[in-house]
Coordinates of all heavy atoms in Angstrom, one line a residue:
M12 N -3.0 -23.4 9.8 CA -2.9 -22.0 9.7 C -3.5 -21.4 8.4 O -3.1 -22.0 7.4 CB -1.5 -21.6 9.9 CG -1.2 -20.2 9.9 SD 0.5 -19.8 10.2 CE 0.5 -19.3 11.9
S13 N -4.3 -20.3 8.6 CA -4.8 -19.7 7.3 C -3.8 -18.8 6.7 O -3.0 -18.2 7.3 CB -6.2 -19.0 7.5 OG -5.9 -18.1 8.5
K14 N -3.9 -18.6 5.4 CA -3.1 -17.7 4.6 C -3.6 -16.3 4.7 O -4.8 -16.1 4.5 CB -3.0 -18.2 3.1 CG -2.0 -17.4 2.4 CD -2.0 -17.9 1.0 CE -1.1 -16.9 0.1 NZ -1.3 -17.0 -1.4
I15 N -2.8 -15.3 4.7 CA -3.2 -14.0 4.6 C -3.6 -13.6 3.2 O -2.9 -13.8 2.3 CB -2.2 -13.0 5.2 CG1 -1.8 -13.2 6.6 CG2 -2.5 -11.5 4.8 CD1 -0.5 -12.4 7.1
K16 N -4.9 -13.1 3.1 CA -5.3 -12.8 1.8 C -5.4 -11.2 1.5 O -5.2 -10.8 0.4 CB -6.7 -13.3 1.6 CG -6.7 -14.8 1.7 CD -8.2 -15.3 1.6 CE -8.2 -16.8 1.8 NZ -9.6 -17.3 1.8
T17 N -5.6 -10.4 2.5 CA -5.7 -9.0 2.4 C -5.0 -8.3 3.6 O -5.0 -8.8 4.7 CB -7.2 -8.6 2.3 OG1 -7.9 -9.4 1.4 CG2 -7.4 -7.2 2.2
V18 N -4.4 -7.2 3.3 CA -3.7 -6.4 4.4 C -4.3 -5.0 4.2 O -4.4 -4.4 3.1 CB -2.2 -6.4 4.1 CG1 -1.5 -5.3 5.1 CG2 -1.7 -7.8 4.4
C19 N -4.6 -4.4 5.4 CA -5.0 -2.9 5.3 C -3.9 -2.2 5.8 O -3.3 -2.4 6.9 CB -6.2 -2.9 6.2 SG -6.8 -1.2 6.3
V20 N -3.6 -1.1 5.1 CA -2.4 -0.2 5.3 C -3.0 1.1 5.6 O -3.6 1.7 4.8 CB -1.4 -0.3 4.2 CG1 -0.3 0.8 4.6 CG2 -0.7 -1.6 4.1
Y21 N -2.6 1.7 6.7 CA -3.0 3.1 7.0 C -1.7 3.9 7.3 O -1.1 3.5 8.3 CB -4.0 3.2 8.2 CG -4.5 4.6 8.4 CD1 -5.4 5.2 7.7 CD2 -3.8 5.3 9.5 CE1 -5.8 6.5 8.1 CE2 -4.2 6.6 9.9 CZ -5.1 7.2 9.0 OH -5.6 8.5 9.3
C22 N -1.2 4.7 6.5 CA 0.0 5.4 6.7 C 0.0 6.9 6.1 O -1.1 7.3 5.6 CB 1.2 4.7 6.1 SG 1.0 4.1 4.4
G23 N 1.0 7.7 6.1 CA 1.0 9.0 5.8 C 0.7 9.4 4.3 O 1.2 8.6 3.4
S24 N 0.1 10.4 4.1 CA -0.1 10.9 2.8 C 1.1 11.8 2.4 O 1.2 12.4 1.3 CB -1.4 11.7 2.6 OG -1.4 12.8 3.5
G25 N 2.0 12.1 3.3 CA 3.3 12.8 3.0 C 4.4 11.7 2.8 O 4.2 10.5 3.2
S26 N 5.5 12.2 2.3 CA 6.6 11.2 2.0 C 7.5 11.0 3.2 O 8.5 10.3 3.1 CB 7.3 11.6 0.8 OG 7.8 13.0 0.9
G27 N 7.3 11.8 4.2 CA 8.3 11.7 5.3 C 9.6 12.4 5.2 O 9.8 13.1 4.1
T28 N 10.4 12.3 6.1 CA 11.7 13.1 6.1 C 12.9 12.3 5.5 O 13.9 12.9 5.4 CB 12.0 13.6 7.4 OG1 12.2 12.5 8.3 CG2 11.0 14.6 8.1
N29 N 12.7 11.1 5.2 CA 13.8 10.3 4.7 C 13.3 9.5 3.5 O 12.3 8.8 3.5 CB 14.2 9.3 5.8 CG 15.4 8.5 5.6 OD1 15.7 8.1 4.5 ND2 16.2 8.1 6.6
P30 N 14.1 9.6 2.4 CA 13.8 8.9 1.2 C 13.7 7.4 1.4 O 12.9 6.7 0.5 CB 14.9 9.2 0.1 CG 15.6 10.4 0.8 CD 15.3 10.4 2.2
L31 N 14.3 6.8 2.3 CA 14.2 5.4 2.6 C 12.7 4.9 3.0 O 12.3 3.9 2.8 CB 15.1 5.0 3.7 CG 16.7 5.1 3.4 CD1 17.5 4.7 4.6 CD2 16.9 4.2 2.2
F32 N 11.9 5.9 3.4 CA 10.5 5.6 3.8 C 9.8 5.2 2.5 O 9.0 4.3 2.5 CB 9.7 6.8 4.4 CG 10.4 7.3 5.9 CD1 10.1 8.5 6.2 CD2 11.1 6.3 6.6 CE1 10.6 8.9 7.5 CE2 11.6 6.8 7.8 CZ 11.4 8.0 8.3
I33 N 9.9 6.0 1.4 CA 9.3 5.7 0.2 C 9.9 4.4 -0.4 O 9.1 3.5 -0.8 CB 9.5 6.9 -0.9 CG1 8.7 8.1 -0.3 CG2 9.0 6.5 -2.2 CD1 7.2 8.0 -0.3
D34 N 11.2 4.2 -0.3 CA 11.7 3.0 -0.8 C 11.1 1.8 -0.1 O 10.9 0.7 -0.7 CB 13.2 3.0 -0.6 CG 13.9 4.0 -1.4 OD1 13.4 4.4 -2.4 OD2 15.1 4.4 -1.1
A35 N 11.0 1.9 1.3 CA 10.4 0.7 2.0 C 8.9 0.5 1.6 O 8.4 -0.6 1.5 CB 10.5 1.0 3.5
A36 N 8.3 1.6 1.4 CA 6.8 1.5 1.0 C 6.7 0.7 -0.3 O 5.9 -0.1 -0.6 CB 6.2 2.9 0.9
K37 N 7.6 1.0 -1.3 CA 7.6 0.4 -2.6 C 7.9 -1.1 -2.5 O 7.3 -1.9 -3.1 CB 8.5 1.2 -3.5 CG 8.0 2.5 -4.0 CD 9.1 3.2 -4.9 CE 8.7 4.6 -5.3 NZ 9.7 5.3 -6.1
A38 N 8.9 -1.4 -1.7 CA 9.3 -2.7 -1.5 C 8.2 -3.6 -0.9 O 7.9 -4.7 -1.2 CB 10.6 -2.8 -0.6
F39 N 7.5 -3.0 0.1 CA 6.4 -3.6 0.8 C 5.3 -3.9 -0.2 O 4.7 -5.0 -0.2 CB 5.9 -2.9 2.0 CG 4.7 -3.4 2.6 CD1 4.9 -4.6 3.3 CD2 3.5 -2.9 2.7 CE1 3.8 -5.2 3.9 CE2 2.4 -3.3 3.5 CZ 2.6 -4.6 4.1
G40 N 4.9 -2.9 -1.1 CA 3.8 -3.1 -2.0 C 4.2 -4.1 -3.0 O 3.4 -4.9 -3.4
K41 N 5.6 -4.2 -3.4 CA 6.0 -5.2 -4.4 C 5.8 -6.7 -3.7 O 5.3 -7.6 -4.3 CB 7.4 -5.0 -4.7 CG 8.0 -6.1 -5.6 CD 9.4 -5.8 -6.0 CE 10.0 -6.9 -6.9 NZ 11.4 -6.8 -7.0
A42 N 6.2 -6.7 -2.4 CA 6.1 -8.1 -1.6 C 4.6 -8.5 -1.5 O 4.4 -9.7 -1.8 CB 6.8 -7.9 -0.3
L43 N 3.7 -7.6 -1.3 CA 2.3 -7.9 -1.2 C 1.9 -8.5 -2.6 O 1.3 -9.6 -2.7 CB 1.5 -6.7 -0.9 CG 1.5 -6.1 0.5 CD1 0.8 -4.8 0.6 CD2 1.2 -7.2 1.6
A44 N 2.2 -7.8 -3.6 CA 1.7 -8.2 -5.0 C 2.3 -9.6 -5.4 O 1.6 -10.4 -5.8 CB 2.1 -7.2 -6.0
E45 N 3.6 -9.7 -5.1 CA 4.2 -11.0 -5.5 C 3.7 -12.2 -4.6 O 3.9 -13.4 -5.1 CB 5.7 -10.9 -5.2 CG 6.5 -9.9 -6.3 CD 7.9 -9.8 -6.1 OE1 8.4 -10.1 -5.1 OE2 8.5 -9.3 -7.1
N46 N 3.1 -11.9 -3.4 CA 2.5 -13.0 -2.7 C 1.1 -13.1 -2.8 O 0.5 -13.8 -2.0 CB 3.1 -12.8 -1.2 CG 4.5 -13.1 -1.1 OD1 4.9 -14.2 -1.0 ND2 5.4 -12.1 -1.0
G47 N 0.5 -12.3 -3.8 CA -0.9 -12.5 -4.0 C -1.8 -11.9 -2.9 O -2.9 -12.3 -2.6
I48 N -1.2 -10.9 -2.1 CA -2.0 -10.4 -1.0 C -2.6 -9.1 -1.5 O -1.9 -8.2 -2.0 CB -1.0 -10.1 0.2 CG1 -0.5 -11.6 0.6 CG2 -1.9 -9.5 1.4 CD1 0.6 -11.5 1.8
R49 N -3.8 -8.9 -1.3 CA -4.6 -7.7 -1.7 C -4.2 -6.6 -0.6 O -4.2 -6.9 0.5 CB -6.1 -8.0 -1.8 CG -6.4 -8.9 -2.9 CD -7.9 -9.2 -2.8 NE -8.2 -10.0 -1.6 CZ -9.3 -10.7 -1.4 NH1 -10.0 -11.0 -2.3 NH2 -9.3 -11.4 -0.2
L50 N -4.4 -5.4 -1.3 CA -4.1 -4.1 -0.4 C -5.4 -3.5 -0.3 O -6.1 -3.1 -1.3 CB -3.2 -3.2 -0.9 CG -2.9 -1.9 -0.3 CD1 -2.3 -2.0 1.1 CD2 -2.0 -0.9 -1.2
V51 N -5.8 -3.0 1.0 CA -6.9 -2.1 1.3 C -6.2 -1.0 1.9 O -5.4 -1.2 2.9 CB -7.9 -2.7 2.3 CG1 -8.9 -1.6 2.6 CG2 -8.7 -3.9 1.5
Y52 N -6.5 0.3 1.4 CA -5.7 1.4 2.0 C -6.5 2.7 2.0 O -7.7 2.6 1.5 CB -4.4 1.7 1.2 CG -4.4 2.3 0.0 CD1 -3.8 3.5 -0.2 CD2 -5.2 1.9 -1.1 CE1 -3.9 4.3 -1.4 CE2 -5.3 2.5 -2.2 CZ -4.7 3.8 -2.5 OH -4.8 4.4 -3.6
G53 N -6.0 3.8 2.4 CA -6.8 5.0 2.6 C -7.1 5.8 1.4 O -7.7 6.8 1.4
G54 N -6.8 5.3 0.2 CA -7.2 5.8 -1.1 C -6.5 7.0 -1.6 O -6.7 7.5 -2.8
G55 N -5.4 7.4 -1.0 CA -4.6 8.6 -1.5 C -3.6 8.1 -2.4 O -3.2 7.0 -2.5
A56 N -3.3 9.1 -3.5 CA -2.3 8.7 -4.4 C -0.9 9.4 -4.2 O 0.0 9.2 -5.1 CB -2.9 9.2 -5.8
V57 N -0.7 9.9 -3.1 CA 0.5 10.6 -2.7 C 1.2 10.1 -1.5 O 0.5 9.3 -0.8 CB 0.3 12.1 -2.7 CG1 -0.1 12.7 -4.0 CG2 -0.6 12.5 -1.6
G58 N 2.5 10.4 -1.3 CA 3.1 10.1 0.0 C 3.3 8.5 0.1 O 3.3 7.8 -0.9
I59 N 3.5 8.2 1.3 CA 3.9 6.8 1.6 C 2.7 5.9 1.3 O 2.8 4.8 0.7 CB 4.3 6.6 3.1 CG1 5.6 7.4 3.3 CG2 4.4 5.2 3.4 CD1 6.0 7.4 4.9
M60 N 1.5 6.3 1.5 CA 0.3 5.5 1.2 C 0.2 5.3 -0.3 O 0.0 4.2 -0.7 CB -1.0 6.2 1.7 CG -2.2 5.5 1.8 SD -3.5 6.1 2.8 CE -3.5 7.8 2.6
G61 N 0.5 6.3 -1.0 CA 0.3 6.3 -2.5 C 1.5 5.3 -3.1 O 1.2 4.6 -4.0
A62 N 2.6 5.4 -2.4 CA 3.8 4.6 -2.9 C 3.5 3.2 -2.8 O 3.8 2.3 -3.6 CB 5.0 5.0 -2.2
V63 N 2.8 2.8 -1.7 CA 2.5 1.3 -1.4 C 1.5 0.9 -2.5 O 1.7 -0.2 -3.1 CB 1.9 1.2 0.0 CG1 1.3 -0.3 0.1 CG2 3.0 1.4 1.1
A64 N 0.4 1.7 -2.6 CA -0.7 1.3 -3.6 C 0.0 1.2 -5.0 O -0.4 0.3 -5.8 CB -1.7 2.2 -3.5
T65 N 0.7 2.2 -5.4 CA 1.3 2.2 -6.8 C 2.1 1.1 -7.0 O 2.1 0.4 -8.1 CB 2.1 3.6 -7.0 OG1 1.1 4.7 -6.9 CG2 2.6 3.6 -8.4
S66 N 2.9 0.7 -6.0 CA 3.8 -0.4 -6.2 C 3.1 -1.7 -6.3 O 3.5 -2.6 -7.1 CB 4.8 -0.5 -5.0 OG 5.7 -1.6 -5.1
V67 N 2.0 -1.9 -5.5 CA 1.2 -3.2 -5.6 C 0.6 -3.3 -7.1 O 0.7 -4.2 -7.7 CB 0.1 -3.1 -4.6 CG1 -1.0 -4.2 -4.9 CG2 0.6 -3.2 -3.2
L68 N 0.1 -2.1 -7.6 CA -0.4 -2.1 -9.0 C 0.6 -2.3 -10.0 O 0.3 -3.1 -10.9 CB -1.2 -0.8 -9.2 CG -2.4 -0.5 -8.4 CD1 -3.0 1.0 -8.6 CD2 -3.5 -1.6 -8.7
D69 N 1.7 -1.7 -9.8 CA 2.8 -1.9 -10.8 C 3.4 -3.4 -10.9 O 4.0 -3.8 -11.9 CB 4.0 -1.0 -10.4 CG 3.8 0.5 -10.7 OD1 2.9 0.8 -11.4 OD2 4.5 1.3 -10.1
H70 N 3.1 -4.0 -9.8 CA 3.6 -5.5 -9.8 C 2.4 -6.4 -10.0 O 2.6 -7.6 -9.6 CB 4.3 -5.7 -8.5 CG 5.7 -5.0 -8.5 ND1 5.8 -3.7 -7.9 CD2 6.8 -5.2 -9.0 CE1 7.0 -3.2 -8.0 NE2 7.7 -4.2 -8.7
G71 N 1.3 -5.9 -10.5 CA 0.1 -6.9 -10.9 C -0.8 -7.2 -9.6 O -1.6 -8.1 -9.8
G72 N -0.7 -6.5 -8.5 CA -1.5 -6.8 -7.4 C -2.8 -6.1 -7.5 O -3.1 -5.3 -8.4
T73 N -3.7 -6.4 -6.5 CA -5.0 -5.8 -6.4 C -5.1 -4.7 -5.3 O -4.7 -5.0 -4.2 CB -6.0 -6.9 -6.2 OG1 -5.9 -7.8 -7.2 CG2 -7.4 -6.4 -6.1
V74 N -5.7 -3.7 -5.5 CA -5.7 -2.5 -4.6 C -7.2 -2.1 -4.4 O -7.9 -1.9 -5.4 CB -4.9 -1.4 -5.0 CG1 -5.0 -0.1 -4.1 CG2 -3.4 -1.8 -5.0
T75 N -7.7 -1.8 -3.2 CA -9.0 -1.2 -3.0 C -8.7 0.1 -2.0 O -8.2 -0.1 -0.9 CB -9.9 -2.2 -2.2 OG1 -10.1 -3.3 -3.1 CG2 -11.2 -1.5 -2.0
G76 N -9.0 1.2 -2.6 CA -8.9 2.5 -1.9 C -10.2 2.9 -1.2 O -11.2 2.8 -1.8
I77 N -10.2 3.2 0.1 CA -11.3 3.7 0.9 C -11.0 5.1 1.4 O -10.2 5.4 2.0 CB -11.5 2.8 2.1 CG1 -11.6 1.3 1.8 CG2 -12.7 3.1 2.9 CD1 -12.7 0.8 1.0
I78 N -12.0 6.0 0.9 CA -11.8 7.4 1.2 C -13.1 8.0 1.4 O -14.1 7.7 0.7 CB -11.0 8.0 0.1 CG1 -10.6 9.5 0.6 CG2 -11.8 8.2 -1.2 CD1 -9.5 10.1 -0.2
P79 N -13.2 8.8 2.5 CA -14.7 9.3 2.9 C -15.0 10.4 1.8 O -14.1 11.0 1.2 CB -14.4 10.0 4.2 CG -13.2 9.5 4.8 CD -12.3 9.0 3.6
S80 N -16.2 10.5 1.5 CA -16.8 11.4 0.5 C -16.3 12.8 0.7 O -16.2 13.6 -0.2 CB -18.2 11.2 0.2 OG -18.8 11.6 1.4
F81 N -16.3 13.2 2.0 CA -15.9 14.6 2.4 C -14.6 15.1 2.0 O -14.2 16.2 1.9 CB -16.3 15.0 3.7 CG -15.4 14.3 4.7 CD1 -14.2 14.8 5.2 CD2 -16.0 13.1 5.4 CE1 -13.4 14.1 6.2 CE2 -15.2 12.5 6.4 CZ -13.9 13.0 6.7
L82 N -13.7 14.0 1.7 CA -12.2 14.2 1.4 C -12.2 14.4 -0.2 O -11.3 14.8 -0.8 CB -11.3 13.2 1.8 CG -11.1 13.2 3.4 CD1 -10.3 12.0 3.8 CD2 -10.5 14.5 3.8

């Protein structure tokens, strides 16, 4: 069985209606970083998407943001 090396996350640029959404995003980002799994995501710095990415970076992980030029 091969090991997961990269995960692509596509989620909201808003924070949602429940603060637990952001907490879960941060926990997920931390888990990715701690397990050496790279994140590819939508490139936003806000909301749930931004929380995942920031958490990965805060815990020493690698992040690649993909965003169309028209945005």
Side-chain angles (χ1 to χ4, degrees):
M12 177 179 259
S13 61
K14 181 181 176 198
I15 295 173
K16 297 177 185 174
T17 304
V18 169
C19 180
V20 172
Y21 182 81
C22 52
S24 60
S26 59
T28 59
N29 186 327
L31 293 178
F32 297 159
I33 293 292
D34 292 343
K37 290 177 181 178
F39 181 60
K41 180 181 179 190
L43 290 175
E45 289 177 344
N46 287 283
I48 300 171
R49 294 174 295 210
L50 172 68
V51 174
Y52 81 116
V57 296
I59 295 172
M60 193 163 40
V63 173
T65 299
S66 183
V67 171
L68 292 171
D69 286 349
H70 293 92
T73 303
V74 172
T75 301
I77 307 295
I78 190 164
S80 61
F81 65 85
L82 292 176

